Amino acid sequence: MKETRTRGGSLSSTQEAAQLRLEQVKLLYAQAPAGLIATAVNSLILAAVFWRVISPWKLVIWVFFIFAVTLLFSYLVKQYRKTTPETSEIQRWTALFIAGLFASGIVLGSAGIFLFPGQSLPHEVFLAFLLGGMVAGATGTHSVMLEGFLVYSLPVIAPITVRLLHRGTDIELAMAGLLVIFYAIMINTAYYVHKTTLKSLCLRLENRDLVSHLMELKSQAEKAVETLKDQIAERKSIEKALRESEEKYRMIFENSPLGIVHFERDGTVTAYNESLAKISGSTREEFIGLNPLNYLQDEEMKSAIAACLAGEQTHYEGLYRSRRTGTLTPVKADFSPIFGEDGSVAGGTGIIQDISEQKKAEKELGDQLHFLQTLIDTIPNPIFYKDVSGFYVGCNKAFETRLGLHKDQIVGKSVYEVLPKSLADEYHRLDLALFSNPGEQVYETSLVYADGTRHDIILNKATYTNVDGTLAGLVGVSVDITARKQGEQALRRAHDELEIRVRERTHELAAAVEDLQNEIAERKKAEEALRLSSEKLKLFAYSVIHDLKSPAVGIYGVANLLHKHYKDLLDEKGRMYCEQILKASEHVATLVEQINFYVAAKEAQIVIEKINVNEILRMVHDEFSAQLSLRQLDWYDFDVPVRIKGDRLSIHRVFRNLVDNALKYGGEQLSEIRIGYEERGDFHVFSVSDNGVGITREGSEKIFKLFERDRTARGISGTGLGLAIVKEIAERHGGDVWVEPGSERGTTFYISISNQIGSSRP
C-alpha cells in the first residue's frame, strides 16, 4: 500500500494497514446486531412453519443452539463496545468475531441436514429460500471483511445444497443448481461491497489529518468572530437601516405587477420577480444565472440590454418568445444602467410589462374603428365630422365622391379650403351658431358637386362631446333633394292637370252613376221575377210529382194484376210487354218517391235532437235483414254507444241509402258491410264500407251529383238520387260526404256531422 502523508506528518504502510483493519473491525461490530436479530427471528419463523413437518424435539434443540450462539455473539459485541480497542488488539477481536460468525453459520446451516423436510417439496423450497436470504443479508453486514462473509455463508448454504444434490430428483437438482448460482452471485456482490467499503475507509483515513487541520482553522475562525463582534455591533444600526431598505425594496420587487429583472455588468441575471416569471412563462430558477445576451433570439431586445449595460437608458417593445412553451407575448420594457461608486456600470435593471391586454384592446379599438369607418363608407349619403376649430377630422366615401377630393385632401382642412367662398361663408357661420348653441341643426342649402353642377341638399348637423362631456365637434349628414325638388315641381304640374281631368271625369262619373242606379233597379226587378219564377217552378215540380205518383201507382197496379191473372193467356211477346210496363211503372214510382225525398232533404225544415245512432243502425239492420240473410252477408257496426245531435229521419235516411247502395252495387263478391265511427275535431265521422266490386276513381268524383252513376252500375236499376240526398243531408248538418275506393275492390263512404250544430236548423 502506498504511503499516506498529512499536515502532521506521515504514516508507514504497516501503520496504515493496521489502522484500516481497526476500522473494518469497528464496522463489523457496529453492524452485527442487525444480523443477530435477523437470525433469531428467522429461526422462530422456521420452527413455526416446520412444526407439523419435523419432529418438535428436533426443532426445539435446533432453536436452543441458535439462541445460545446468538446470545454468546451478543455478549461478544457488548464487550467490544465497552472497550476502546487499540491497534495491537485487533487480531484478537477479529479472531473472536470470525469464530462467532463460523459458529452461527454452522448452527444455522445444520437445518439443511437435521431439519430437511424430505417429504414436503414446498417446505424444502421454503428452507432453501430462508437460508439463501440469510446469506443475502450477510453480504451487507459481513462483507466489510471478506473472510468473515465466507466463514459464515459457506456453512449456511453448503449443507442444504449437498442434501438436494444427494436426493437427486429433477426439481431438487434444479434447486441445488440455483443455490450454487445464487451463492456465486452473492460472493461476487460481497467482493464488490468489500472493495467499496475499503475505498471508503481509506478515504476517511487519508482525510483524518485534514479534518484536524480544519478544526484548528475553526478555532482560529472563532477567535476572528469574537474580534468581528465589535465591528458587527458598530454596523448594526447601518444594517438595520439597510435591512429596512432591502425589505422595502423586496416588497416592491416581489409585489410589483410589473416584471423586474437585475443584471450583472456582464448581463448575468441575479434577480427575477414572480410577475416577470408569469410574463415569461417560466420559473425564476430557470433564469437566475443565465445571460439573456446569449440565449435571446430577438436582436432588438438584445441590443436594448447591451446598450443599457453600456450606460444608456433604453426602451424595447415587441414580442417575447417563452423559452419553455415557445408562446409569443407582447411586452414593453425599459432598461436602466446601475452605476458603481467609481461611475462605472455595475449592472442594470429592467422593468417589463405584459401589454397583451393593451394590444388586444388596441386591436379591438382598431377593429371597431375600421368597422365604423366601413359602416360610414357604405352609407350612400355624404357624412363628415369636424373638431371645435372647424377643421375636418373625417368623412365617408360618399363625401369624397361628392367633393371630388381624396380624404387626405379633406382631413385637417377648413371649409374654406374645400368649398367655394360663397358657400364656405354660409357653412362657417352656421357651424359657429351650432357650437354656440350645441344640439341639432337642420336646413336646406345648395352644394357644387365635383362635376360643377349645383344640387339642392338638406344638411343635418349635430354636436358631439368627449367622454368627460366637453364639446368635441360636430357631425353632418347631407341628403341630396334635387330629384325631390324636381319631383315636387313635376307633381305640382301633374296636380294641376289632374284637377282639370278630375272635373271632367266627375261629370262622366255622375252620368255613369245614374246609369248604374238604373241598372240596379232593373236587376232588382229581374231578381224578384226570378224568385217568383223559382217559386212557381217549385210548385209546378211538387204538382208534377204529386200528379205523376197516382198514375204511376195505378199503372203499376194494373200491370201487376194483368201480369198476375192473364200472363198465361198472353203470348211470349205479350208477357214481355207486360213485364216491361210493370218495370217501367215501378221505376217511375220509385223515381217519384226519391224526388220527394230529395226535395224534403233540401227544403223541409230539420229538427235537431239528441239521437242514439246505435238504435238507428238496429232499425236499418232489421230493414235489410232478409237480404243480409239471403245473401249470407256479415254485418259489423260499433259496440260503443254513440249519441249525436241531428235530425232523426235525415240520419236514418243517410244510413239506409248508404247500406242500400252497398247491397245494390256490391255485386256477387260482396260478403260484408262495416259501419265505423270516430271523432275528428269538431265532427262526428261515420263510415259505411263494403268489399264489393268497388267504384272507379273518376266515378267517385261525380256520383254525388243529381242523376249521376258510375259505369260499374250499368244494368242495375236506380234513380241516381240516393247519394245526392245523402250529400244534401250532410251539408244541412254542417258536414260533408265523400267516398274512397278500395285498393283492389270495395268502397268506403264517409259522412261527417258537425258536433256544433244548434238545437234546431231550418
Side-chain angles (χ1 to χ4, degrees):
M1 184 176 292
K2 70 178 183 177
E3 184 177 303
T4 303
R5 297 184 179 275
T6 66
R7 291 180 182 270
S10 61
L11 294 174
S12 64
S13 298
T14 304
Q15 291 174 329
E16 202 173 276
Q19 192 66 41
L20 183 61
R21 194 69 170 182
L22 178 62
E23 293 298 326
Q24 287 180 279
V25 172
K26 286 181 181 180
L27 197 55
L28 279 173
Y29 277 97
Q31 296 176 350
L36 295 174
I37 293 171
T39 301
V41 171
N42 285 333
S43 64
L44 292 175
I45 293 173
L46 181 64
V49 173
F50 280 29
W51 190 257
R52 296 183 180 276
V53 180
I54 302 299
S55 175
W57 66 268
K58 286 186 178 182
L59 289 171
V60 171
I61 292 173
W62 182 77
V63 171
F64 171 77
F65 277 105
I66 287 290
F67 272 85
V69 172
T70 302
L71 290 173
L72 288 173
F73 211 148
S74 299
Y75 178 76
L76 175 64
V77 173
K78 186 176 180 181
Q79 291 300 315
Y80 175 82
R81 289 182 176 179
K82 287 182 178 181
T83 62
T84 305
E86 298 295 335
T87 306
S88 58
E89 300 176 339
I90 290 304
Q91 292 298 332
R92 183 170 66 86
W93 287 107
T94 302
L96 289 173
F97 193 87
I98 290 177
L101 287 176
F102 183 71
S104 180
I106 290 293
V107 176
L108 187 62
S110 65
I113 298 175
F114 298 109
L115 304 181
F116 189 82
Q119 69 278 20
S120 174
L121 182 61
H123 286 80
E124 291 180 22
V125 174
F126 177 78
L127 180 60
F129 176 78
L130 185 141
L131 294 177
M134 293 302 295
V135 171
T139 59
T141 56
H142 305 324
S143 295
V144 176
M145 192 174 289
L146 192 58
E147 56 266 39
F149 169 76
L150 294 173
V151 299
Y152 171 79
S153 60
L154 189 59
V156 170
I157 204 72
I160 187 171
T161 304
V162 172
R163 189 65 180 268
L164 289 170
L165 290 171
H166 181 264
R167 288 180 63 84
T169 66
D170 292 342
I171 293 177
E172 288 168 330
L173 287 174
M175 288 172 59
L178 289 174
L179 283 173
V180 171
I181 295 171
F182 170 75
Y183 186 60
I185 294 171
M186 290 301 101
I187 290 175
N188 185 61
T189 303
Y191 173 75
Y192 280 105
V193 172
H194 173 71
K195 298 295 288 182
T196 302
T197 306
L198 286 183
K199 287 181 181 180
S200 177
L201 293 175
C202 287
L203 288 173
R204 186 190 300 176
L205 291 175
E206 289 176 1
N207 293 323
R208 177 178 296 175
D209 291 339
L210 180 59
V211 171
S212 299
H213 179 65
L214 290 175
M215 292 301 293
E216 291 178 8
L217 292 177
K218 178 184 177 184
S219 177
Q220 295 174 8
E222 289 175 351
K223 291 178 182 179
V225 168
E226 290 296 331
T227 304
L228 290 173
K229 281 183 179 180
D230 295 335
Q231 299 177 3
I232 292 172
E234 293 176 0
R235 296 186 180 181
K236 278 186 177 180
S237 58
I238 299 174
E239 289 179 355
K240 182 179 179 182
L242 183 60
R243 281 196 301 272
E244 292 176 354
S245 177
E246 288 177 349
E247 182 64 20
K248 290 178 182 178
Y249 172 76
R250 188 186 66 79
M251 292 295 293
I252 295 172
F253 184 81
E254 293 297 335
N255 298 314
S256 171
L258 301 176
I260 303 175
V261 61
H262 286 177
F263 308 101
E264 291 287 353
R265 67 176 62 188
D266 63 349
T268 302
V269 176
T270 57
Y272 202 84
N273 73 344
E274 189 63 30
S275 295
L276 187 53
K278 291 179 181 178
I279 293 172
S280 63
S282 305
T283 62
R284 300 186 192 189
E285 291 74 13
E286 290 183 55
F287 280 93
I288 300 299
L290 289 180
N291 191 325
L293 297 175
N294 296 331
Y295 72 80
L296 279 178
Q297 298 179 358
D298 191 327
E299 294 297 331
E300 189 177 347
M301 181 180 278
K302 286 171 66 175
S303 298
I305 296 173
C308 168
L309 296 176
E312 299 178 17
Q313 292 273 354
T314 57
H315 175 79
Y316 166 81
E317 186 170 331
L319 295 174
Y320 172 79
R321 183 182 296 277
S322 172
R323 296 180 70 245
R324 175 182 290 180
T325 63
T327 57
L328 296 174
T329 304
V331 297
K332 179 171 64 176
D334 291 288
F335 299 103
S336 301
I338 299 174
F339 296 98
E341 295 180 358
D342 59 354
S344 62
V345 177
T349 183
I351 306 297
I352 299 159
Q353 180 182 0
D354 183 348
I355 57 173
S356 299
E357 292 300 323
Q358 176 185 333
K359 288 294 185 181
K360 182 179 178 182
E362 289 175 356
K363 183 179 184 303
E364 290 177 354
L365 180 59
D367 291 343
Q368 186 176 5
L369 291 175
H370 179 70
F371 167 75
L372 291 175
Q373 186 61 48
T374 303
L375 179 63
I376 292 172
D377 285 340
T378 57
I379 296 174
N381 294 329
I383 299 174
F384 63 89
Y385 31 104
K386 303 177 182 179
D387 59 19
V388 290
S389 299
F391 292 101
Y392 289 99
V393 293
C395 64
N396 69 346
K397 292 289 186 184
F399 191 76
E400 295 179 46
T401 304
R402 185 68 52 84
L403 297 184
L405 299 174
H406 191 268
K407 183 180 294 185
D408 296 338
Q409 297 173 292
I410 300 172
V411 174
K413 303 294 180 24
S414 69
V415 68
Y416 288 99
E417 296 176 89
V418 297
L419 292 176
K421 186 176 185 305
S422 58
L423 290 176
D425 287 337
E426 180 186 0
Y427 289 161
H428 182 63
R429 178 180 58 79
L430 292 170
D431 287 350
L432 293 177
L434 183 58
F435 284 137
S436 63
N437 186 22
E440 296 183 359
Q441 191 181 76
V442 180
Y443 56 90
E444 290 188 13
T445 184
S446 60
L447 183 66
V448 177
Y449 280 18
D451 58 3
T453 60
R454 182 178 292 269
H455 288 247
D456 295 314
I457 64 170
I458 291 179
L459 193 56
N460 296 266
K461 293 192 294 187
T463 55
Y464 63 91
T465 61
N466 291 321
V467 177
D468 58 2
T470 59
L471 185 63
L474 64 82
V475 60
V477 180
S478 66
V479 179
D480 191 329
I481 58 172
T482 303
R484 193 188 76 182
K485 289 284 189 180
Q486 295 171 352
E488 288 175 353
Q489 294 174 359
L491 185 61
R492 279 194 296 270
R493 289 194 299 270
H495 180 267
D496 295 339
E497 294 175 0
L498 183 61
E499 284 186 345
I500 297 172
R501 292 181 182 179
V502 166
R503 284 194 296 269
E504 295 174 353
R505 189 60 177 163
T506 300
H507 293 298
E508 295 175 0
L509 286 176
V513 167
E514 185 178 356
D515 294 341
L516 183 61
Q517 289 175 343
N518 294 332
E519 185 179 350
I520 291 172
E522 293 295 329
R523 284 190 180 185
K524 285 183 178 180
K525 292 178 182 179
E527 287 176 357
E528 181 64 19
L530 182 62
R531 186 183 64 78
L532 294 174
S533 176
S534 177
E535 291 292 332
K536 291 178 181 179
L537 183 61
K538 188 187 299 184
L539 291 173
F540 174 75
Y542 288 156
S543 176
V544 169
I545 292 170
H546 182 270
D547 293 343
L548 278 176
K549 186 174 181 180
S550 295
V553 171
I555 293 171
Y556 177 77
V558 172
N560 190 31
L561 290 173
L562 179 64
H563 183 269
K564 181 178 179 180
H565 297 290
Y566 298 101
K567 66 178 181 179
D568 294 334
L569 300 176
L570 300 172
D571 58 7
E572 183 65 30
K573 185 178 289 187
R575 285 196 298 273
M576 182 184 69
Y577 291 154
C578 184
E579 289 175 356
Q580 287 178 351
I581 294 170
L582 184 63
K583 288 181 180 179
S585 60
E586 182 181 5
H587 179 73
V588 170
T590 303
L591 180 60
V592 169
E593 183 181 9
Q594 289 295 320
I595 292 173
N596 269 330
F597 286 145
Y598 179 75
V599 172
K602 191 173 185 66
E603 300 294 338
Q605 183 176 357
I606 61 175
V607 179
I608 303 301
E609 60 179 312
K610 289 186 178 180
I611 304 171
N612 187 335
V613 180
N614 304 72
E615 293 179 357
I616 292 176
L617 289 177
R618 282 196 293 273
M619 294 171 62
V620 173
H621 178 268
D622 292 342
E623 183 179 352
F624 292 102
S625 60
Q627 289 191 54
L628 294 171
S629 176
L630 181 64
R631 296 173 65 176
Q632 296 182 345
L633 303 180
D634 294 325
W635 172 281
Y636 302 96
D637 60 20
F638 40 84
D639 297 328
V640 296
V642 177
R643 290 177 173 80
I644 66 172
K645 288 182 179 181
D647 184 82
R648 182 181 297 275
L649 292 177
S650 297
I651 300 301
H652 182 275
R653 175 60 58 187
V654 165
F655 284 111
R656 187 192 183 285
N657 283 9
L658 291 176
V659 171
D660 181 62
N661 191 76
L663 292 170
K664 186 179 292 183
Y665 302 112
E668 295 181 358
Q669 299 178 353
L670 180 67
S671 62
E672 65 177 34
I673 297 175
R674 291 181 178 272
I675 315 296
Y677 168 76
E678 64 175 311
E679 286 191 28
R680 296 183 186 176
D682 295 335
F683 295 93
H684 304 286
V685 179
F686 298 93
S687 62
V688 178
S689 304
D690 66 74
N691 62 347
V693 296
I695 189 172
T696 62
R697 180 66 62 180
E698 59 273 14
S700 64
E701 298 175 357
K702 65 181 181 179
I703 58 174
F704 294 105
K705 297 179 181 179
L706 290 173
F707 306 111
E708 291 286 352
R709 304 176 71 194
D710 186 47
R711 58 182 173 82
T712 57
R714 292 173 183 171
I716 301 174
S717 63
T719 63
L721 289 173
L723 294 179
I725 293 171
V726 171
K727 180 175 178 62
E728 189 64 33
I729 292 173
E731 290 176 348
R732 297 194 72 187
H733 281 75
D736 197 6
V737 64
W738 66 95
V739 63
E740 292 183 3
S743 58
E744 296 182 359
R745 65 175 186 162
T747 309
T748 301
F749 285 89
Y750 293 92
I751 180 171
S752 62
I753 306 296
S754 173
N755 58 21
Q756 304 294 324
I757 194 169
S759 60
S760 65
R761 182 173 176 175

